[in-house]
Amino acid sequence: MKFDVVIVGGGLVGASLALALKDSGLKIALVESRLPTPLPADDSWDSRVYAISPGSAKFLQAFGVWQALDEDRITPVYKMAVFGDDSAARLDFSAYDIGLTELAFIVENRQLQTAVWNALKRQKKHVKIFCPAECASITWNESHADLHLADGNVLQAALIVGADGLNSWVREQAEIGVVRHSYQQIGVVANFNAEQNHRNVAHQWFRRDGVLALLPLPETLVSMVWSANEERARALLDLSETELCHQVTQASCRALGELQLVTRPAAFPLNFVHVKKLVQPRLALIGDAAHGIHPLAGQGVNLGLRDARELAATIIARGLESDCGDYLLLRRYERARKEDILAMELATDGLQKLFNNTNPTLVRWRNLGLEITNRLPLLKDRLIQHALS
């Protein structure tokens, strides 16, 4: 079976790329090992949420995904309050101050996955879906690549796109090197009902034992993301419901009053992954296959969606170049994405290391840095504008 583009990985980023290319005139295939988890019959909340930037929302809107979401389950973020670990330093961001209506939108993972897959199912004429399907091997040729599936099917493509996550199989098949290290932290996520209204403000605390964030959900619900040192995280997961609520309430300085648990906590390990190159002949990497950053900035999914947006734009604007897997064409995508990815890697990795250090001098300087930044509107605007794209 011959295609122009075969995308391996049907998560939010890979599926979004397929939809962005649906009207390109190219033959597109999407390979995914499992169907997304269906929405529950009740109104329960997903403990995994994304902070979607206005730029990412606009991208998803372009192919009908954003409008398909349940508006009652999308929460705009108007302000963000960031606190240092000395009980005094803080940094505030406001959408109003930069002439926007919101800084981000908090959306559940499964709501987005369902919307993007429903959109894909309506594009059977333009996108061929292989799901569930397991990949077996890839043969790289000068004029094309052959993706061999476990069921015996062979998909021939001018371009293979790896969108298959942090431990990318496609990246491994292409023998692309990575620089990886563990943060020795675990991300603990759960949803709570707050005693006080969050007023659409996202709160974040840099603590000696990690980074705690409370993100606004509809009404008085909030989503917790606590990137905690491994010992602390395991202790949190072992707590009773009552004790967990108490500890999160205290760690958040009672900013929203008493908290009541709504969803059971879940956890995932935190790692840094720098990918040495994003492209080679017949291959491009996007999303977590192309980079892995700390969640303290909430920008991982937006970084991936910017990859998909840029790769789609590069392919569509290729002009007289008929071969969408041409290396020189793919290098345009890599050059366009390199600065954004590197800046986010350096910022998140640097902040994590800075606030995960007990040196008294560093403690003073990092909190002073928050205070100084908070008093420099132009610097704050530069920081926030990058995250909005």
Side-chain angles (χ1 to χ4, degrees):
M1 288 180 278
K2 293 185 178 182
F3 297 92
D4 295 299
V5 181
V6 171
I7 302 164
V8 180
L12 179 59
V13 173
S16 295
L17 175 62
L19 288 169
L21 292 172
K22 65 183 175 62
D23 296 324
S24 64
L26 299 170
K27 291 186 67 177
I28 312 297
L30 180 74
V31 181
E32 170 55 42
S33 60
R34 58 185 181 182
L35 289 167
T37 304
L39 292 177
D42 57 20
D43 291 329
S44 62
W45 289 85
D46 190 351
S47 58
R48 185 178 178 186
V49 303
Y50 294 126
I52 300 295
S53 70
S56 292
K58 186 177 180 180
F59 176 56
L60 295 170
Q61 188 175 40
F63 38 81
V65 169
W66 192 253
Q67 333 40 336
L69 295 170
D70 184 347
E71 290 185 5
D72 292 336
R73 299 180 81 98
I74 301 174
T75 309
V77 177
Y78 301 143
K79 294 181 179 180
M80 185 170 185
V82 182
F83 303 91
D85 57 357
D86 66 351
S87 303
R90 66 180 291 165
L91 178 59
D92 296 290
F93 297 102
S94 167
Y96 177 81
D97 289 345
I98 55 174
L100 293 177
T101 52
E102 59 277 311
L103 297 174
F105 303 91
I106 308 302
V107 189
E108 295 159 277
N109 167 63
R110 64 189 180 203
Q111 291 283 332
L112 275 169
Q113 294 285 2
T114 299
V116 79
W117 268 78
N118 286 343
L120 272 177
K121 290 173 185 176
R122 294 192 293 270
Q123 300 300 327
K124 291 181 180 179
K125 182 179 177 182
H126 304 288
V127 181
K128 174 72 173 174
I129 300 175
F130 295 85
C131 181
E134 295 289 342
C135 298
S137 64
I138 302 176
T139 305
W140 306 100
N141 304 289
E142 186 176 340
S143 62
H144 65 276
D146 293 320
L147 174 63
H148 300 259
L149 301 183
D151 63 6
N153 278 315
V154 179
L155 312 185
Q156 185 183 112
L159 172 63
I160 301 284
V161 178
D164 52 339
L166 204 60
N167 300 310
S168 171
W169 174 85
V170 172
R171 188 181 66 216
E172 183 180 301
Q173 294 295 302
E175 298 181 343
I176 293 176
V178 300
V179 177
R180 178 194 296 261
H181 64 254
S182 169
Y183 283 116
Q184 298 182 313
Q185 290 184 327
I186 294 172
V188 180
V189 295
N191 295 332
F192 294 84
N193 198 0
E195 181 183 11
Q196 298 173 20
N197 195 308
H198 50 62
R199 301 183 185 277
N200 296 81
V201 178
H203 295 82
Q204 185 174 54
W205 292 265
F206 284 94
R207 296 169 45 84
R208 305 290 168 91
D209 59 0
V211 185
L212 170 64
L214 293 181
L215 307 175
L217 291 173
E219 297 179 355
T220 56
L221 293 175
V222 291
S223 175
M224 178 197 77
V225 184
W226 195 335
S227 303
N229 298 332
E230 290 176 343
E231 184 179 351
R232 175 67 161 142
R234 293 191 183 99
L236 289 171
L237 293 168
D238 287 339
L239 293 175
S240 67
E241 179 177 326
T242 301
E243 185 57 28
L244 177 64
C245 292
H246 173 73
Q247 294 223 10
V248 178
T249 298
Q250 296 303 312
S252 61
C253 305
R254 301 186 61 86
L256 299 176
E258 295 290 337
L259 300 174
Q260 296 298 322
L261 192 65
V262 174
T263 62
R264 293 181 61 185
F268 51 91
L270 303 181
N271 298 284
F272 172 87
V273 177
H274 170 75
V275 180
K276 293 186 176 180
K277 57 182 179 179
L278 302 186
V279 303
Q280 62 186 35
R282 307 289 156 209
L283 170 71
L285 300 175
I286 63 174
D288 287 349
H291 38 71
I293 63 173
H294 195 282
L296 64 86
Q299 288 298 305
V301 70
N302 294 307
L303 201 61
L305 289 171
R306 291 200 289 273
D307 294 341
R309 186 171 67 193
E310 187 62 42
L311 182 56
T314 301
I315 292 171
I316 291 169
R318 69 191 183 283
L320 298 176
E321 177 56 69
S322 60
D323 184 359
C324 55
D326 178 75
Y327 180 60
L328 293 179
L329 175 70
L330 298 176
R331 281 283 290 142
R332 291 184 212 165
Y333 157 71
E334 184 177 53
R335 286 193 297 269
R337 293 299 301 134
K338 213 159 192 179
E339 183 180 346
D340 182 22
I341 292 171
L342 185 59
M344 196 58 69
E345 286 178 344
L346 291 174
T348 55
D349 195 51
L351 279 171
Q352 193 278 334
K353 286 181 167 61
L354 180 64
F355 278 90
N356 198 42
N357 194 306
T358 57
N359 183 294
T361 302
L362 279 179
V363 171
R364 287 194 297 272
W365 278 105
R366 68 197 181 201
N367 288 293
L368 180 62
L370 282 181
E371 287 286 1
I372 292 173
T373 303
N374 204 36
R375 296 171 187 174
L376 297 174
L378 290 178
L379 178 56
K380 282 207 297 183
D381 288 355
R382 288 284 299 272
L383 290 172
I384 202 64
Q385 288 290 351
H386 184 82
L388 296 176
S389 60

